[in-house]
Each structure stands twice: as C-alpha cells, then as structure tokens.
C-alpha cells in the first residue's frame, strides 16, 4: 500500500503542507508546531511471524500489543496509531530486507519484533544502523542485550539464557545427575541449552549428550530412539510453537512419558496445551509467566484478552502486552513527539512495568529483570508451582552500556 493510500495524502504533499504549516505557526497563525506533529499518526512497525511454526506466537504478540494500546484509548502520547505489518516467516535470510521495508519505505517511528532469534539479529543490525527505536517482544538472542546492546534497543521478553538457567538447579536439587539435552540448532536453542548447562553443571550435574535438529525440523523419532537407549535421569529441551506440540505428542507416542522425565524452558508447553490433549500432563518447565499467578494485573489482563480475542493468553501475549505498555509510557514522556528519542529512551530505562507476569524493571542492558517460575501442566494450565529464581537479571556479558 502506498503512502497516499495510507495517509490520504502522499509524502511530498505532506512535507509541503508541513512546511506551510510550520511557516504559519512561526507567524503565530497556529497554536504551536506541535499541532502538526500530533496531527499525523504514530507509525508502529510490526515485524513478526504470521506463517510457519511460530505463526501463533506472532499473533499472540500482536494481540497483546494492540490490547495495551487499546487500553490507552488507541493512542500513543495522545496521537492516533497506524500499524504497518510484515510477516517475517521466521526466515533470518529475509530479515534485513523486511526490517528495511518498515524503516525506509514505511518510515515507522518504532519497530516491534520479533519471535525468532536469527531474525531478531537482522533487526538489531538495522536498528543499530538507522537509529530506529526497536522493541523486541520475544526473541531471546543473548547478543541483543549483550555485545550488541544499544540505547535504542529494548526487550520486553527474556534472554535465551534467562528461563533455562534456573532449571539446572531445580534438577540437581532433585538428585538428577545425568541429563540429555535436545534443541533446534540455531541461536535460541544453543543459548537456551547453554543457560541450562551452566546452571546444571554448577550444581554438580553432567550433560551426557547434546542432541540437535535443524530449525524448524520436527523429525524427532531417531532422537527419541537414542534417548530411550541412553536412559538419562531426565531430558531438557528447547522447542516452541508447532514444533513443541509435535515433540510432546511424539514423546508420548514413543512410550517415553512416565519413563524419562521431560523438562524444558516453558516455551515447550506455553500456547500448545490445546493442541496436545493429555500428553503434556505433569510436565514441569521454568518461565517468566504461569497461568495461575495470584497477581491482580494478571487477572484483569486475562479477562480483557479473553474478551477481546476469544482466546486464552500465553507468555507471548504477555510479552506483546508489555511491549505495548513500554511504548505507551515512552510516548507519554514526550507527549507523542517521537523526535525526542533520548527522552523516550530515558523514560523506558526507568520503567517499572506492571506486567501480568509480576512487576519487572529494565536492566542496564535493556532486558527485563524478572522472577522465573517453576510451573507444572495441570489440564490446560501451566500452573504456578514456585519461584525458581527471584528477580533474575541476564548477566549481559559483553554489553558496554550503563
Ligand atoms: C527465539 O528464537 O529466540 C525464540 C523463539 C521462540 C520461543 C522462544 C525463543 O518460544
């Protein structure tokens, strides 16, 4: 869609009118220059997966973000909002081009995305080069708030290290010594396994074998056969979305359920319980959200989300919602003037987000400092069990900011 379709006037006309209006303002014919800035809509670029194994995650994030902005009267800093959307297909190869469509063609004020760590790395590159404000509502790529951290890059989700690390101690405390890991072989899988390994080996555990599948492959059978013959005390995995649902079903079909305990970061069981029947019952995971938190903000969020979208929210919806909340408070600090980037950044750095997951703060590297919960699948819920790690901050290794 061209700018003309979207704005009713084309960009050149808009700029010319802008110059005329600015002149009028200078002559005292209009109340303020701000009237012009505020008359245009805030341009929010959403770059998320809407097809493929992470499609549902992209939808949940979009819903959550729009709900937060809707609760603010559908405005950011007093201005109407216009969304520009790109399906990134979870394809890292297309990421820079897709991000540039939003930044250069659509001239978005802020870029929001994405789910897949490899795609997020492309967005980080574009954000660093263009200076565009970027809010990451899922992808855990450690580097985004590590060596590649930047003032204009924020995350409202987690680092891949963060939800996996605490599970190491949980398993070691249960006397488990030998664990097999399995994950998709790409940034998120590798970093999630590293996080678990760090926590587990520090607590005395041993990784007996690391098994990998290329993303988004779901041919689990040969690996399950290998696991059955290795007979470890437990298996720790990173999978999410459609792939996670398939693994849970295959695990049961292979007769491993009830024989070898399967653990993971909570992406394994979030947003997939409707799809897997009873195959996930009893599974324990660690994550920064759970379905039964006794938090007033969570109760109101869940009600509003279910009413608006006729769907139950999950961790992805929460992360999208918090990206929306962060944007609302950043825009409010500058009265909707997105030209005042340093002031938006300063407000976002000080943010205390009243999240459905519990209140969290922004680390110096711009990543949430948050509680990680141990949860257990009961029926269609990832039920809260305990706090596995209180106020966990990612170590942000390599980040030179702050
Ligand atoms: C990631 O690629 O960073 C990623 C994807 C899906 C998840 C979690 C992390 O559920």
């Amino acid at each position: 869609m061209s700018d003309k379709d979207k704005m009713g006037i084309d960009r050149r006309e808009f700029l010319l009118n802008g110059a005329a209006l600015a002149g009028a303002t200078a002559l005292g014919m209009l109340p303020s220059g701000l009237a012009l800035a505020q008359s245009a809509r805030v341009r929010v670029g959403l770059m998320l997966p809407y097809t493929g194994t992470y499609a549902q995650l992209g939808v949940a994030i979009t819903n959550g973000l729009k709900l937060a902005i809707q609760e603010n009267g559908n405005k950011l800093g007093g201005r109407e909002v216009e969304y520009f959307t790109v399906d990134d297909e979870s394809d890292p190869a297309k990421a820079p081009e897709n991000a540039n469509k939003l930044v250069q063609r659509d001239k978005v004020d802020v870029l929001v995305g994405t789910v897949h760590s490899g795609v997020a790395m492309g967005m980080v590159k574009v954000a660093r080069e263009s200076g565009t404000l970027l809010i990451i509502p899922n992808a855990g790529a450690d580097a985004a708030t590590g060596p590649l951290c930047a003032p204009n890059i924020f995350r409202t989700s987690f680092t891949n290290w963060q939800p996996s690390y605490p599970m190491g101690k949980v398993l070691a405390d249960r006397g488990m010594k030998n664990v097999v890991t399995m994950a998709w072989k790409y940034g998120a899988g590798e970093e999630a396994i590293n996080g678990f390994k760090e926590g587990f080996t520090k607590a005395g555990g041993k990784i007996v074998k690391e098994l990998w599948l290329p993303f988004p492959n779901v041919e689990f059978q040969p690996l399950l056969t290998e696991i059955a013959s290795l007979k470890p005390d437990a298996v720790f995995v990173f999978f999410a979305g459609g792939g996670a649902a398939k693994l849970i079903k295959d695990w049961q079909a292979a007769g491993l359920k009830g024989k070898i305990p399967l653990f993971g970061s909570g992406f394994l069981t979030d947003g997939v319980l409707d799809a897997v029947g009873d195959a996930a019952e009893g599974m324990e995971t660690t994550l920064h959200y759970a379905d039964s938190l006794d938090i007033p903000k969570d109760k109101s969020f869940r009600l509003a989300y279910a009413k608006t979208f006729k769907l139950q929210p999950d961790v992805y919806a929460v992360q999208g919602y918090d990206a929306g909340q962060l944007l609302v408070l950043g825009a409010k600090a500058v009265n909707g003037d997105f030209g005042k980037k340093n002031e938006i950044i300063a407000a976002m750095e000080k943010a205390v987000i009243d999240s459905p997951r519990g209140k969290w703060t922004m680390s110096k590297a711009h990543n949430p400092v948050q509680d990680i919960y141990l949860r257990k699948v009961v029926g269609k819920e990832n039920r809260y069990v305990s706090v596995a790690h209180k106020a966990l901050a990612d170590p942000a290794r390599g980040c030179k900011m702050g």
Side-chain angles (χ1 to χ4, degrees):
M1 197 182 281
S2 76
D3 287 333
K4 185 152 185 142
D5 295 332
K6 291 217 152 134
M7 298 180 63
I9 51 173
D10 73 16
R11 182 169 308 286
R12 189 166 163 273
E13 229 178 294
F14 176 72
L15 292 175
L16 287 175
N17 286 342
L21 276 175
T25 307
L27 293 171
M29 291 158 67
L30 278 176
S32 78
L34 215 55
L36 169 67
Q38 296 196 339
S39 67
R41 287 186 272 179
V42 180
R43 301 162 83 85
V44 176
L46 301 179
M47 179 165 153
L48 288 160
Y50 296 108
T51 51
T53 199
Y54 289 157
Q56 274 192 36
L57 287 56
V59 171
I61 290 167
T62 306
N63 288 346
L65 177 109
K66 289 188 173 171
L67 179 61
I69 294 176
Q70 193 180 308
E71 287 176 354
N72 195 48
N74 263 326
K75 289 189 172 169
L76 286 173
R79 292 168 61 193
E80 299 285 343
V81 177
E82 177 160 17
Y83 294 104
F84 295 80
T85 305
V86 167
D87 175 9
D88 69 33
E89 303 166 51
S90 294
D91 185 350
K94 296 184 188 151
E97 188 192 331
N98 280 332
N100 272 322
K101 272 188 204 154
L102 292 166
V103 169
Q104 285 173 16
R105 184 193 64 190
D106 298 331
K107 306 264 183 291
V108 296
D109 294 300
V110 56
L111 198 51
V112 179
T114 187
V115 168
H116 184 288
S117 275
V119 179
M121 293 313 286
M123 298 181 77
V124 162
K125 183 170 183 288
V126 170
R128 287 173 65 95
E129 283 166 7
S130 64
T132 310
L133 193 59
L134 168 63
I135 302 179
I136 304 172
N138 184 74
D142 291 347
T145 53
L148 297 178
C149 70
N152 57 319
I153 299 174
F154 288 84
R155 178 151 49 196
T156 61
S157 49
F158 56 88
T159 63
N160 289 320
W161 177 92
Q162 228 173 358
S164 295
Y165 173 79
M167 190 56 110
K169 184 165 184 312
V170 171
L171 297 198
D173 285 352
R174 292 183 187 182
M176 293 175 171
K177 299 250 181 303
N178 299 310
V179 168
V180 168
T181 64
M182 178 168 59
W184 273 319
K185 183 111 184 113
Y186 81 99
E190 289 167 337
E191 291 172 354
I193 297 305
N194 280 344
F196 170 74
K197 206 186 330 183
E198 190 183 325
F200 189 52
T201 54
K202 200 151 83 180
K206 191 173 155 223
I207 306 293
V208 288
K209 182 112 198 199
E210 295 184 14
L211 301 172
W212 303 99
L213 269 176
F215 175 85
N217 189 315
V218 289
E219 297 304 314
F220 296 114
Q221 205 47 55
L223 303 185
L224 300 190
T225 304
E226 192 171 352
I227 287 169
S229 72
L230 286 167
K231 295 192 183 59
D233 296 330
V235 175
F236 178 89
V237 301
F238 167 84
F239 291 101
K246 169 93 169 27
L247 172 65
I248 291 170
K249 286 194 279 190
D250 286 5
W251 189 265
Q252 186 180 45
L256 290 172
K257 187 166 163 57
K259 288 216 180 93
I260 299 173
L262 177 62
F263 296 92
S265 49
F267 309 115
L268 178 65
T269 54
D270 243 71
V272 306
L273 296 181
D274 283 336
V276 299
D278 65 354
E281 188 69 20
M283 254 176 211
E284 290 172 277
T285 57
T286 39
L287 199 66
H288 46 288
Y289 188 56
D291 288 326
S292 54
L293 295 173
D294 193 14
I295 294 172
K297 181 72 181 177
D298 189 46
K299 297 199 168 116
S300 59
F301 164 75
R302 292 184 76 96
L303 269 177
Y305 191 92
K307 198 170 156 214
T308 310
F309 304 110
K310 314 283 178 263
L311 283 171
Q312 288 305 313
D314 54 21
V315 70
Y316 309 105
V318 170
Q319 294 166 174
Y321 185 74
D322 288 353
Q325 294 206 84
L326 186 66
L327 207 43
V328 165
L329 79 82
K332 187 170 176 211
V334 294
N335 253 323
D337 183 353
F338 274 75
K340 295 184 174 161
K341 206 174 291 170
N342 290 343
E343 289 171 47
I344 297 181
I345 289 170
M348 288 182 168
E349 285 178 332
K350 284 200 290 283
V352 180
I353 299 291
D354 188 11
S355 170
R357 72 186 96 166
K359 283 201 173 71
W360 59 266
T361 56
M362 200 60 90
S363 74
K364 288 208 168 83
H366 295 180
N367 186 69
V369 178
Q370 57 193 338
D371 293 351
I372 304 295
Y373 305 112
L374 177 65
R375 316 106 47 84
K376 184 177 193 154
V377 174
V378 180
K380 294 286 174 243
E381 260 190 12
N382 281 290
R383 192 166 289 174
Y384 169 85
V385 175
S386 61
V387 174
H389 201 125
K390 185 89 197 140
L392 184 60
D394 180 83
R397 294 166 187 134
C399 174
K400 299 275 177 347
M401 233 172 24

